[in-house]
Amino acid sequence: MTRPLIVSSVQPEEVDAETVQRALRRIKDFLVKQHETELVEILVEHGQTSLILPRPTVTLFAQILTQLADGRGVSVIPSEAELTTQQAADLLGVSRPYMIRLLEKEKIPHRKIGRHRRVPLAEILAYQRRDDEHRRKAVDELGELGQELGT
């Protein structure tokens, strides 16, 4: 049985931009200076106990802050999540009918629950990486062809 999809989101207008920028600078400085550290101790204000976090978690938090600082909202989705065809289409930036064609052509693995399709997030991200790589190769080939033709 799959767990329900839990998505946490933060929009840029929900946080103070100055606080985000300050926190981001401090985290980036720390990560650069303490590049060997596996655990990060975060001191909490007002004399409370500190937090101990794994470095990858702090790095992810820095990436979230970077997006917010750039004025973009952020959503966190569990890796093992299964998405609806509409959610998958939105993530890839394609229409739902196009997404369904990809599934029917078996370009992306999925499963059916009754009449509904569920697509693992990991498979969507893998497809996205393959598609990006395919596009990069095509651009490289066009560049090489242009050089051969002298343009």
Side-chain angles (χ1 to χ4, degrees):
M1 174 176 249
T2 61
R3 288 187 239 157
L5 177 64
I6 299 172
V7 178
S8 299
S9 296
V10 178
Q11 297 304 316
E13 61 272 6
E14 296 176 43
V15 295
D16 177 56
E18 189 176 311
T19 303
V20 168
Q21 290 285 354
R22 188 171 55 246
L24 181 57
R25 276 192 306 275
R26 291 182 72 186
I27 290 173
K28 282 183 174 181
D29 287 346
F30 177 86
L31 292 172
V32 167
K33 290 177 186 172
Q34 304 292 327
H35 60 326
E36 301 283 326
T37 308
E38 289 183 32
L39 295 175
V40 178
E41 182 178 10
I42 299 175
L43 299 176
V44 181
E45 293 181 0
H46 309 298
Q48 296 196 14
T49 59
S50 60
L51 300 172
I52 307 294
L53 300 174
R55 184 182 184 87
T57 304
V58 176
T59 302
L60 178 62
F61 186 59
Q63 293 169 348
I64 291 169
L65 289 174
T66 299
Q67 296 302 312
L68 290 169
D70 289 343
R72 292 188 284 270
V74 178
S75 297
V76 177
I77 303 171
S79 304
E80 70 277 356
E82 287 187 315
L83 306 179
T84 65
T85 53
Q86 186 61 61
Q87 291 169 325
D90 291 345
L91 185 61
L92 290 177
V94 299
S95 69
R96 185 173 169 276
Y98 181 78
M99 182 73 213
I100 291 171
R101 283 195 300 275
L102 287 174
L103 299 176
E104 288 174 348
K105 291 178 182 178
E106 298 181 2
K107 300 281 186 179
I108 302 174
H110 67 287
R111 69 186 183 114
K112 284 186 99 172
I113 301 173
R115 298 180 340 181
H116 303 284
R117 294 174 182 89
R118 293 293 177 261
V119 189
L121 174 61
E123 295 295 345
I124 295 169
L125 297 176
Y127 171 82
Q128 193 173 42
R129 282 190 296 277
R130 288 190 308 270
D131 191 52
D132 288 347
E133 181 63 27
H134 177 72
R135 290 171 197 264
R136 272 193 290 280
K137 284 181 182 177
V139 168
D140 289 346
E141 289 172 8
L142 284 173
E144 290 173 11
L145 183 60
Q147 286 182 349
E148 288 174 13
L149 295 174
T151 57

